[in-house]
Amino acid sequence: MNTLSFFNPRFTSDLFDVIDRNFSDYGYGECTKTTAPRVDVAERKDSYVLDMELPGFTENDVEIDLKDRVLTIASKLKDAKKAEKEEKKENADSVYLIKERRNSTFSRSFTMPEDIDPEKVSAAFKNGLLTIVIPRKAEAQSKRIMISVA
């Protein structure tokens, strides 16, 4: 029997996370998989703040680009085969019985509002959390124009 239920984006997101965790090895290769890190975006009076969870990454593993109001955050791509060969060299005297950790790559893009100040964007990375602060431009103040009598 088929049942009808309301669309719940949180449920589908979690469902895809479960599917990705359990079936990501099929079609993605042996040691590399694509992920979408979780992001919180907050709007403040004077800025927009993005917090992105990136456990296992360092500031050297991430690139941030802002062009034409599109903010792109991506991992620097590593050659999966090269990383696998290096790992085999390091662990030549051991054999994995279980191997769950993988090299991950990602890319996320966000279209920012028109009121951002692209010259003052800042980013900080601490304890696996990337925080990007994008200041807003001051709103244009209206100016009263006096009419002179000719």
Side-chain angles (χ1 to χ4, degrees):
M1 179 173 134
N2 292 330
T3 60
L4 179 66
S5 61
F6 290 104
F7 175 73
N8 184 339
R10 174 129 175 91
F11 173 76
T12 58
S13 175
D14 290 344
L15 176 64
F16 288 124
D17 288 344
V18 169
I19 291 170
D20 186 46
R21 276 194 306 269
N22 291 310
F23 299 103
S24 63
D25 290 336
Y26 300 103
Y28 284 116
E30 190 169 311
C31 84
T32 305
K33 83 174 190 178
T34 303
T35 60
R38 298 179 188 270
V39 178
D40 293 333
V41 181
E43 180 180 10
R44 296 184 180 160
K45 184 178 179 180
D46 60 346
S47 64
Y48 299 96
V49 179
L50 285 84
D51 288 321
M52 180 179 279
E53 294 177 346
L54 295 172
F57 285 89
T58 67
E59 64 276 2
N60 298 325
D61 298 331
V62 180
E63 293 179 341
I64 304 169
D65 183 48
L66 179 62
K67 182 178 181 184
D68 298 328
R69 292 185 12 242
V70 176
L71 177 71
T72 302
I73 307 163
S75 62
K76 293 182 181 176
L77 296 176
K78 296 179 182 176
D79 184 7
K81 297 290 183 188
K82 183 178 176 183
E84 186 177 349
K85 286 178 185 177
E86 288 176 5
E87 189 173 306
K88 284 182 181 179
K89 283 182 186 177
E90 291 176 8
N91 300 315
D93 60 337
S94 65
V95 176
Y96 285 106
L97 300 177
I98 298 174
K99 183 160 175 54
E100 295 179 339
R101 296 180 303 137
R102 305 274 191 240
N103 293 327
S104 301
T105 61
F106 71 89
S107 179
R108 298 282 310 262
S109 295
F110 304 90
T111 302
M112 303 305 297
E114 292 182 19
D115 66 342
I116 65 168
D117 188 351
E119 302 301 319
K120 297 182 181 177
V121 176
S122 64
F125 197 92
K126 184 176 181 183
N127 297 330
L129 183 67
L130 175 66
T131 301
I132 303 171
V133 178
I134 305 167
R136 298 171 88 168
K137 291 180 186 175
E139 290 184 27
Q141 301 294 325
S142 63
K143 179 180 176 183
R144 185 165 291 235
I145 300 171
M146 300 303 291
I147 301 172
S148 61
V149 178

